[in-house]
Amino acid sequence: MKKHTLGLIATLVAGALNTAHADTLKMECASTSTGKSYCDYIKARFEKETPHKLEFVQLPPASDEKLGLFQQIFAAKDSKAVDVFQADTVWLGVLDKHLLDLTDHVKDLQPQFFQSAWNNDVVNGKVKAIPAFLDAGAMYYRKDLLEKYGEQPPKTWEELARIAAKIQKGEREAGKKNFWGFVFQGKAYEGMTCDALEWIASYNGGTFVDKDGKITVNNPQAAKALNTAASWIGTISPKGVLGYMEEESRAVFQNGDAAFMRNWPYAYVLAQDPTSPVKDKVGVIPVPKGGEDGQHAATLGGWQWAVSAYSESPEAAVQLIRILTDAESQKMQFKTVGVAPSRLDVYEDPEVIASAPYLAEFKEVFATAVPRPAVETKSQFPKVSKAVFNAAYDVLSGRATGEKAVADLEAKLKRIKGREWK
């Protein structure tokens, strides 16, 4: 009886201690049915593997609205609003001081992730987030048309322009009067910044601002890249491309009216829809190099899991982050939501390979991804991006040469920076 009583007391004490140390975390969860399904999976795992509880909060789906809300929450140092959330690739420099330093808790995970994605989440030497899923610019092409015209997928922009012109001419002669060689995102918005980064980096012209915060855009290779892009307008690309964002580009390509398209991975799944005119006719390659001595450079996109620096339960939040970013969770996220994993090992998973063989085509794309200089330019990145896409648009629309645009852009970026990026 005495042993039984002591055992019961020990159990009650242990239960009380567990309850005392149990926290309730608030995690961002998408409002879609697939998003909720994934969140329910995470909740079940988190509450089974830790003594803590998990609640969900919904945030605005629009990226700019969501960032604005976070800036309000963090300005007030609100510890109740959210603990764990997803941050866009270009937010980390803006939100740096409001994000928990994860370095000592996650440094063992680094080898499991695409290096460019991991490096994007390191601010001033500190890991401020873990890649949740990836996005990167990719070049889509019509496999059937390249075969029809006896061509191989291009490796350089020069090859792409030649092949696009050849196919465009042939298809128009065959009666498709509205057929174009190449469509992309040419409107003056963030998507143009992504395209311009790919063009300039592919010609070894840098990334506008280097890792040390130095403005590097005013160079001959950057000017050449922009002039090359401008040469496509009205030749292999419609003048209307100057108003295209992602969906306008996809509509033209998926309707069968273009040989090549620059877009993000989401477009592949849609192109393979049973109702798609180009189903089973689409291939994916890395964004072309700028000449034989250039490099493949896909703009890095995607989202990252981060922890509010004002969370009252940082240890529990770190436990949740590790669950969110392990292989099983990323596999489940891919199966339910359809986004591309940021962990290398998930691409080797037999179930993932069997269900989505096309992912193998994107692995090389992700491996060459180049981040925008958001970490380096900190809170001023939105101004930097606006200056970049307006400069690129001026060249594409014929208002400026590449040489004048990069010189003017350098001057504008120097004014934005002032003494230092802040």
Side-chain angles (χ1 to χ4, degrees), residues 1-14:
M1 177 67 79
K2 189 174 183 181
K3 280 186 179 180
H4 177 74
T5 303
L6 290 173
L8 180 60
I9 291 172
T11 300
L12 291 171
V13 169

Side-chain angles (χ1 to χ4, degrees), residues 21-329:
H21 289 90
D23 298 315
T24 298
L25 292 188
K26 290 184 177 179
M27 183 187 99
E28 173 190 353
C29 181
S31 59
T32 62
S33 58
T34 54
K36 288 178 180 177
S37 177
Y38 175 66
C39 290
D40 288 341
Y41 160 82
I42 293 297
K43 177 180 173 69
R45 274 196 59 187
F46 182 66
E47 294 185 353
K48 180 181 179 181
E49 297 173 25
T50 78
H52 311 298
K53 298 295 181 184
L54 188 60
E55 294 180 354
F56 301 127
V57 295
Q58 289 185 12
L59 300 170
S63 182
D64 56 345
E65 292 179 19
K66 186 173 164 184
L67 177 59
L69 178 59
F70 279 134
Q71 289 175 313
Q72 292 177 35
I73 290 171
F74 295 148
K77 298 185 178 180
D78 189 342
S79 63
K80 305 294 185 184
V82 66
D83 296 286
V84 176
F85 63 94
Q86 285 191 358
D88 195 349
T89 298
V90 295
W91 289 0
L92 300 183
V94 176
L95 299 180
D96 176 24
K97 65 181 181 180
H98 304 296
L99 305 179
L100 185 69
D101 180 4
L102 302 172
T103 310
D104 292 338
H105 308 288
V106 300
K107 54 188 174 184
D108 60 304
L109 301 180
Q110 181 175 352
Q112 305 300 328
F113 291 82
F114 282 93
Q115 201 57 52
S116 58
W118 184 275
N119 291 345
N120 180 80
D121 295 353
V122 178
V123 186
N124 297 323
K126 297 177 180 179
V127 180
K128 289 302 186 82
I130 306 293
F133 61 88
L134 287 186
D135 227 354
M139 186 61 63
Y140 293 81
Y141 69 97
R142 286 282 299 279
K143 294 188 293 185
D144 58 324
L145 292 180
L146 263 67
E147 182 179 351
K148 176 181 176 181
Y149 290 91
E151 297 287 352
Q152 295 297 314
K155 293 183 178 179
T156 68
W157 287 115
E158 290 75 15
E159 289 177 0
L160 183 144
R162 179 186 64 78
I163 297 169
K166 179 180 179 179
I167 296 175
Q168 178 178 298
K169 181 175 183 291
E171 291 300 290
R172 287 186 177 183
E173 288 175 350
K176 297 192 71 173
K177 301 301 182 184
N178 293 321
F179 190 91
W180 289 94
F182 177 41
V183 291
F184 58 94
Q185 296 74 55
K187 187 175 181 177
Y189 78 117
E190 183 68 23
M192 169 67 92
T193 297
C194 296
D195 284 25
L197 174 60
E198 291 170 353
W199 303 333
I200 291 173
S202 74
Y203 276 96
N204 299 317
T207 56
F208 318 131
V209 176
D210 70 14
K211 290 294 181 184
D212 297 321
K214 181 182 177 183
I215 297 165
T216 61
V217 72
N218 189 7
N219 66 79
Q221 292 306 103
K224 180 179 180 180
L226 294 178
N227 285 331
T228 298
S231 73
W232 304 329
I233 308 300
T235 55
I236 59 171
S237 302
K239 291 182 179 179
V241 81
L242 296 176
Y244 285 10
M245 295 192 290
E246 286 82 357
E247 280 298 272
E248 289 82 3
S249 306
R250 184 181 68 83
V252 174
F253 183 79
Q254 190 166 320
N255 195 46
D257 292 327
F260 293 94
M261 171 184 69
R262 184 272 177 204
N263 217 314
W264 305 93
Y266 86 98
Y268 187 92
V269 177
L270 296 175
Q272 289 298 96
D273 186 86
T275 63
S276 169
V278 295
K279 184 180 185 297
D280 297 327
K281 298 177 182 178
V282 177
V284 182
I285 53 174
V287 172
K289 299 188 295 181
E292 291 299 332
D293 59 347
Q295 61 177 325
H296 295 294
T299 297
L300 179 69
W303 291 75
Q304 339 295 316
W305 286 112
V307 178
S308 167
Y310 310 109
S311 172
E312 295 177 349
S313 309
E315 291 181 7
V318 167
Q319 288 179 288
L320 177 56
I321 284 282
R322 291 187 69 95
I323 290 173
L324 282 163
T325 57
D326 70 16
E328 284 304 309
S329 289

